[in-house]
Structures are given as C-alpha cells and as structure tokens.
Amino acid sequence: MADPLELRQKFSRFRILIIGRANAGKTTILQRVCKTRENPEIYNSAGEKIDPTILTASRERGLHDIENEMVFLANPGFIFHDSRGFEAGGHSEFDQMKAFIASRLKKNALEDRIHVIWYCIPMDEESRSFTQGEVKFFSQCDTRSIIVLFTKFDALYDDVFAELTSKGVPRKDAEALAPQHARESFANGPQVKFLYNREDNQRPPKCHICLPDMDKDDADCTLLIERTAETLDDDVLKQLFISTQQTNLELCIRYAVERTLARHVDFAHTTSSDIFRKFEDNQYLDYLCSRFPHISVRCCECVDPPCQWHTDQRHR
C-alpha cells in the first residue's frame, strides 16, 4: 500500500477527460465536483495560461484543443480535459480524441495519463438518444474505462409527471413519485440497453450515472464521486482520487479508516477494544491524518506525546 505522503509527492494531480456535446452540462458538473461557481483557468500543453477572450474567439471559429488543461482554483488537484463530442459526426474530432487518449495512455509519468473518462449525454433534448457520432464512439472504441453520465436527468421528470397525472394520480403525489419512476423506466430504456448490448457495444463502459438538478445550489454529486472511486481498479489511483476530491468527506474518512485498519490491525487476533487502544499509537494517527491533504484536522491533544502530524501543524 502506497504511503499517502509519498504518493502526493510523486503524483500531485488527478487527470480527467470529460466528453460531451455542447450544452451537455459539463462545466456545471466540474464546478460541482470542485465545489465552486467560478470558471476554470485554462492552460495550453506548455503550461502557459490562456487568455479567456482568445479561447472564446477560437471556439467561435470552431477551433478546440483537447490538450488544453482546465484547472479550478478551488481544487487544483484535478486537471480536466474537454472534448466537444461528435454531434456533428466530424471525423477530425473523432480521430483527434482517439489520438489524444492513445497518446496519454503511453505517457511514462502516471500523473500525465488520463485516469478517468466521463462521457456526458444530456437528457433535456427532445430525441434523448445517441448521436451518430456517439454511436460510432461506443461501437468502435474501447469504452471499458469510461463512465457515462446522463446529465440533466431531471428533464425526464416532467414527462413522468404528465403520465402519472393523466392516470389520475394527484399532482402532489405525481411530483413526489416522478424521480423514482423516471429512474426505473430509464433503467430499462433504449439508452441503457445500447450501452450494455454486446452486439452494439462489445466493450461496454464501466457504469452509467444519472445526474439530475446539477444546476441547483444544493446539487449533490456524491454518487458521481463514489461510483468513480469504485471503478478505479488501481489502488494507487483510487487513493489519489479520493484524497483529491473535496466533495465527499465521508468517503475520504471511510477509505482512510479502512486502509489504516487493514495496514495496522490483524483482525484475526484483535478485539474491538484492542483497535481503539491501538490508535493510542501515534504512528496510526500519523498515517490516518496524512490522508487528508486538503483539510485541517485537529487531533485530540490527550495523546501524549502528540502525533507528528499535530506537531507539524503547530509549527506551520
């Protein structure tokens, strides 16, 4: 098991490629993940910051560079790359994306590789189906490392609400029932069947997630964080992702405690009371606290002498 502090020194950033057509809600999702309302800063492949006005002008001319890095000041531990998707069916965009993923997979440095791919499919468009370019992508590309995000999922609630009220369900009850009915209906719908149908897609994605109401102030992306962590097979990457994200503190605590216990406790010869006594050993506290690089953790000073982490905090 990698030491958290050594891991942070070697790999300081987690890199995500987000793909999706225009107005798929990509930026909103990234803002929720980074707990901010601010727009990201953009850097080119040489690490030079790009003037937002120049970037906007380039986009208006149809130019887009997938190599550009998006970084939110609220959480600079994440680097995001944006692909516009293939709604126009353009071969150049498709080939560019494939070449980018292939080149990143060959990078020697772990932090230069793409660690996760989020593919956004918006549900607020009338057809609510895959574009021709998206069908090509999921049919021809190896999508086993991809998580599909069905964004703006709350757009389906209106249809379900209308269906329920037409059957005589009171409006208040229909409004309360609509989200659950929408999820159940969607689970058996054509979009999900296409993703996991081996005839259409021989290499289905890791999983899919339905994301409603991401534009609201109290939007919750906990499910996205948890499912992303679950799909990471490499324990080093999982540890890096969990310690980088700042949205789900509970997940960070749970993972930290589980890994600390797994490292230091022999459950075959340890009782529950022994576990608590073991945490009087400052080494365990040091290891546990080191997994929270982005927050201030106040250790209980009843431990004498104080743990090294607590001592370091005093001298900052």
Side-chain angles (χ1 to χ4, degrees), residues 15-197:
R15 194 176 297 267
I16 297 174
L17 169 62
I18 187 164
I19 307 174
R21 55 187 105 151
N23 300 315
K26 293 180 291 182
T27 301
T28 300
I29 290 172
L30 299 185
Q31 288 173 327
R32 293 295 174 272
V33 169
C34 293
K35 300 181 68 175
T36 183
R37 288 284 186 176
E38 302 298 322
N39 288 323
E41 294 185 342
I42 311 295
Y43 298 86
N44 61 23
S45 57
E48 301 167 336
K49 188 175 179 179
I50 302 176
D51 188 326
T53 58
I54 297 176
L55 196 65
T56 300
S58 298
R59 287 173 176 171
E60 290 175 351
R61 295 196 304 270
L63 302 176
H64 180 77
D65 191 348
I66 195 174
E67 291 284 354
N68 288 343
E69 300 178 348
M70 299 190 297
V71 178
F72 291 88
L73 294 180
N75 191 344
F78 281 120
I79 294 179
F80 300 103
H81 294 268
D82 177 24
S83 174
R84 295 185 301 178
F86 324 108
E87 62 263 38
H91 293 292
S92 61
E93 292 177 347
F94 184 82
D95 293 339
Q96 181 190 46
M97 181 276 306
K98 287 183 64 177
F100 172 76
I101 294 176
S103 67
R104 286 288 172 173
L105 289 175
K106 297 177 183 177
K107 294 288 185 180
N108 292 326
L110 179 61
E111 70 173 25
D112 290 334
R113 300 176 191 172
I114 291 295
H115 304 133
V116 166
I117 301 176
W118 291 337
Y119 201 117
C120 300
I121 307 291
M123 289 290 101
D124 64 336
E125 298 184 5
E126 186 175 353
S127 62
R128 291 170 182 159
S129 61
F130 294 96
T131 65
Q132 182 180 357
E134 289 163 351
V135 171
K136 178 182 178 181
F137 174 79
F138 285 102
S139 300
Q140 298 184 14
C141 298
D142 188 343
T143 59
R144 286 174 292 185
S145 62
I146 290 177
I147 300 174
V148 177
L149 313 183
F150 289 106
T151 62
K152 304 183 179 182
F153 192 76
D154 50 293
L156 300 183
Y157 298 172
D158 292 339
D159 293 345
V160 176
F161 175 82
E163 180 182 352
L164 291 172
T165 53
S166 68
K167 295 179 179 179
V169 178
R171 295 178 62 86
K172 185 176 181 179
D173 292 341
E175 184 177 0
L177 292 170
Q180 181 63 29
H181 280 239
R183 287 191 294 269
E184 292 174 353
S185 176
F186 187 79
N188 298 308
Q191 295 92 344
V192 174
K193 288 181 179 179
F194 167 76
L195 283 181
Y196 302 104
N197 187 336

Side-chain angles (χ1 to χ4, degrees), residues 234-290:
D234 188 295
D235 199 65
V236 172
L237 285 181
K238 180 178 292 189
Q239 183 174 318
L240 178 60
F241 174 76
I242 291 176
S243 62
T244 300
Q245 64 84 29
Q246 302 177 16
T247 304
N248 191 335
L249 180 58
E250 179 184 352
L251 176 65
C252 192
I253 293 173
R254 184 169 68 246
Y255 184 84
V257 171
E258 288 175 354
R259 288 301 184 272
T260 301
L261 292 176
R263 178 183 177 123
H264 295 289
V265 178
D266 180 3
F267 286 97
H269 303 90
T270 307
T271 65
S272 58
S273 59
D274 291 334
I275 293 176
F276 287 104
R277 284 197 295 270
K278 281 180 177 291
F279 274 87
E280 294 178 0
D281 185 334
N282 293 342
Q283 177 186 359
Y284 297 176
L285 289 176
D286 292 342
Y287 186 79
L288 180 61
C289 293
S290 67

